Each structure stands twice: as structure tokens, then as C-alpha cells.
Amino acid sequence: MTLLKVGVGLAEKGLFSEGEIGDTTLAQTGRRTTRLDMPPFTITKENGRREWRQMLLAIEQRIILSDKHPGMLADDLSDYLFARSTGHIGSLMTLINRGCQRAIRSGTERLDRDLLDRVRNDEASEAARRELETALERGKLISRPGANRRKAA
């Protein structure tokens, strides 16, 4: 059996210890589940930038828009998408999914900054967006790996 539980602070809320049970030897959930963390992507080191790029390339392959092109996300929108998602996969996927819906409804059939600027993302990402955009614009942060920096739009 597979159980998938997504959330924040699950251990602190007692998910793995059966809540209020004092004797953890009786807790079955903690012995039958494996906790997997999903930290946000980081771009402070080259390895993190490569991971970010690989993830964007993988998402690109799965986008079904008639005017998409190779590098649409990973080259043209890398910095922008990092700033808009703060490196969190859930925020990134929300933005891309909403962007694709808008691209289809509007007939543009591609993702670009102009279209995505009209898409609201989750509150946490929107609150942190300006600071990340400023750091990326000033070169204090770089989202693309070294070999792919010259391709920036």
C-alpha cells in the first residue's frame, strides 16, 4: 500500500507518532512510512543551478503548447521562473500550469514573461518575488549554469 501525505510540519503534528499515544512502540504509522523531504531548489552554487536547469528542461518536454520551443523555460525564463517560484516546486508548477491555461485560452500557445506577468502565483512566492528579482537583475544570483549563461534572453 502506498500512502502519500504532503504537508508542512507533519512530524510535529504527530503524524508519525500516532498523535497523542505516549508509547511510541505502539505507533504503527511511524514504522510503516518513510518520510521524504522536498527542499526548495537553490542557485547559490553551480550544482544547484544545474539541477534547476535539468528540472526546467524536463518540464519543457511535457508542456503541450503549439508554439513552444526548446529552451522556452530553461533558457528564456530561468531567472524569471526562479524569482516567481522562489525555487519551490509547488509554486513553480502552479505558475506553469496556470500559465499554460492562459496561453491556451488566449491563443498565444507559448509561455513568456508578458503572459506569465498576468498570472498570479501563491502568496508566499509573490511576497518574496521582488527581492529575488532584484538579486537576479544585479547579478548577485544566477540561475543558469556557467555553460548556459550566454543563452540568456
Side-chain angles (χ1 to χ4, degrees), residues 60 62-70 72-73 76-77 96-116 118:
E60 271 182 23
R62 288 159 181 81
I63 290 178
I64 302 173
L65 294 173
S66 64
D67 199 20
K68 78 172 188 175
H69 60 274
M72 180 176 69
L73 302 183
D76 300 348
L77 294 170
I96 289 173
N97 284 330
R98 289 176 182 172
C100 286
Q101 292 170 13
R102 184 176 291 261
I104 291 166
R105 284 193 312 267
S106 69
T108 60
E109 292 289 331
R110 74 181 169 286
L111 297 179
D112 59 28
R113 188 178 180 132
D114 290 338
L115 180 129
L116 291 172
R118 296 189 308 264

Side-chain angles (χ1 to χ4, degrees), residues 43 48-63 68-82 92 96 111-113 116 136 142-153:
I43 56 171
R49 291 187 284 271
R50 279 193 303 270
E51 289 174 356
W52 176 250
R53 179 174 174 74
Q54 289 304 313
M55 196 257 320
L56 292 178
L57 289 169
I59 294 169
E60 271 182 23
Q61 292 176 349
R62 288 159 181 81
I63 290 178
K68 78 172 188 175
H69 60 274
M72 180 176 69
L73 302 183
D75 294 329
D76 300 348
L77 294 170
S78 180
D79 287 353
Y80 178 83
L81 292 172
F82 191 85
L92 176 67
I96 289 173
L111 297 179
D112 59 28
R113 188 178 180 132
L116 291 172
L136 287 160
I142 301 166
S143 71
R144 287 174 302 284
N148 299 98
R149 288 189 193 137
R150 65 186 178 297
K151 295 180 183 178

